[in-house]
Amino acid sequence: MSSDVSAAARPAGRGTGAPRTAGRGGGTARPGGPSLGARLRRVPLLVWVFLLVPVAVELFWVFWPAANSFSLSLTRWDGISPAEPVGLANFADLAQDPIFRTALTNNALWVLGFGVLSVVGGLALAVALNRPGRGVGFYRSAIYLPMVVSMAVTGLFWRVMYQPGGPVNAGLEAVGLGSLTRQWLADPDVALAAILVAAVWRQVGYIMVLYLAGLKGCDATLEEAAAVDGASAWQRFWHIVMPQLRGVNTVVFAVTVIDSLRTFDIVWAMTRGGPYNTTQLLSTYMFQQAFTSGNLGYASAIAVVIFVLAIGFIITYLARQARAEEQS
């Protein structure tokens, strides 16, 4: 009797007499489902074409030239004669190059200024225009419109704006600030800041659109509940809205850093790195070394520095974000 009771109390499926679940074809079912190879064979051929063609183009036009830059940075090459291996001599020369140090300092200032001004301005505009109202769509379109224009055209437009008799100086004189007028792009003290204003003017609309998309996904009920509890507008924004924009902040940071380090068109269109190399960025100095001086090995070393800086910034930020998410 005791053996019958224990057998009845034993959970079904355990023991030697437990039935086995039959799979297709009468065999035992595998808990993991179809194998990876079987799942890949189910993907239609057209899907593989749409996946592999962009990958092949990306490998040929982006990754292969990037990898080639690493190898060229270890050579002395003028683009015509055979490349001469020089090891790390190009990087040693960079450390002693005063123009490179100026370009590196300008790039650091550019990342800070371009990043802070465009992100703060874009976020402020997104918050201000994230509400229904008359003419809101027009304002959004007008602010985003400069983003449609290329950086080179933006540079030429602002070059006209900064001319001695241009709209900027004329506007300052009209409001009684004629003492502030100057040749903006010929003054070493303000030329880089003048170019930065033009770049931010174009970028702020793009950042605004990114933050508008993020604000549309925020939970409005949380903000309403905080308002009922007596939280101020700033407290609701900082403690409720901003945490929900964490994903958008990651995208904005990556885009801003990459755009900052590869900025070339607007600087080249406005000053070509002048006056006296005071507006040189790493990208413009790299271009000059490659296509003006014909020193492609040295230019490749600068390209490697740009790549390392961009990857370092982004990986550091993503690691800090992941650590913060784990702690929260």
Side-chain angles (χ1 to χ4, degrees):
M1 179 67 69
S2 60
S3 61
D4 295 339
V5 173
S6 61
R10 184 182 303 138
R14 295 185 181 178
T16 56
R20 303 177 69 182
T21 304
R24 294 183 179 181
T28 303
R30 288 175 296 180
S35 63
L36 177 60
R39 291 197 297 269
L40 292 178
R41 284 193 294 270
R42 294 177 184 176
V43 178
L45 178 61
L46 184 61
V47 175
W48 283 115
V49 172
F50 278 107
L51 286 174
L52 295 178
V53 170
V55 169
V57 173
E58 191 81 3
L59 288 173
F60 181 77
W61 289 106
V62 178
F63 291 100
W64 181 79
N68 201 31
S69 295
F70 281 88
S71 62
L72 287 178
S73 67
L74 304 176
T75 65
R76 182 174 289 109
W77 186 45
D78 58 4
I80 301 175
S81 58
E84 175 188 353
V86 294
L88 299 176
N90 287 326
F91 296 97
D93 293 340
L94 284 178
Q96 305 297 326
D97 189 345
I99 300 178
F100 173 78
R101 290 198 296 269
T102 299
L104 189 61
T105 302
N106 288 343
N107 251 116
L109 296 174
W110 188 274
V111 169
L112 291 175
F114 184 78
V116 172
L117 294 177
S118 60
V119 171
V120 172
L123 180 58
L125 289 171
V127 172
L129 298 176
N130 185 37
R131 61 191 67 183
R134 189 173 182 179
V136 171
F138 171 78
Y139 289 122
R140 292 176 182 173
S141 301
I143 295 170
Y144 183 77
L145 186 61
M147 191 65 194
V148 180
V149 182
S150 68
M151 273 286 196
V153 175
T154 301
L156 294 175
F157 169 77
W158 277 90
R159 188 174 181 178
V160 174
M161 295 281 289
Y162 283 132
Q163 284 182 351
V168 173
N169 284 338
L172 290 174
E173 291 177 354
V175 297
L177 298 176
S179 60
L180 298 180
T181 61
R182 63 188 68 199
Q183 295 186 4
W184 296 94
L185 300 181
D187 190 339
D189 296 328
V190 298
L192 186 65
I195 302 172
L196 183 61
V197 169
V200 171
W201 173 79
R202 180 181 181 273
Q203 184 77 2
V204 72
Y206 179 55
I207 302 299
M208 178 197 70
V209 169
L210 292 178
Y211 275 119
L212 277 174
L215 290 171
K216 296 299 182 183
C218 292
D219 190 353
T221 58
L222 296 176
E223 193 173 357
E224 293 172 359
V228 172
D229 291 339
S232 64
W234 172 253
Q235 289 173 330
R236 296 196 304 270
F237 173 76
W238 187 254
H239 296 288
I240 295 176
V241 176
M242 282 303 291
Q244 298 182 73
L245 296 177
R246 185 173 299 168
V248 180
N249 288 333
T250 302
V251 175
V252 168
F253 177 83
V255 168
T256 304
V257 169
I258 293 173
D259 285 348
S260 300
L261 292 175
R262 69 181 182 89
T263 297
F264 168 78
D265 314 52
I266 192 167
V267 177
W268 192 257
M270 294 180 73
T271 63
R272 294 181 180 267
Y276 312 113
N277 292 312
T278 54
T279 60
Q280 286 281 12
L281 299 181
L282 292 176
S283 57
T284 58
Y285 191 46
M286 176 188 67
F287 183 86
Q288 281 187 351
Q289 288 295 319
F291 301 106
T292 302
S293 302
N295 195 349
L296 294 175
Y298 196 68
S300 297
I302 301 175
V304 170
V305 172
I306 297 174
F307 175 80
V308 171
L309 289 175
I311 292 297
F313 269 111
I314 294 173
I315 291 179
T316 301
Y317 179 78
L318 294 178
R320 293 184 61 184
Q321 287 292 103
R323 193 179 303 113
E325 290 179 359
E326 290 177 358
Q327 292 175 355
S328 62

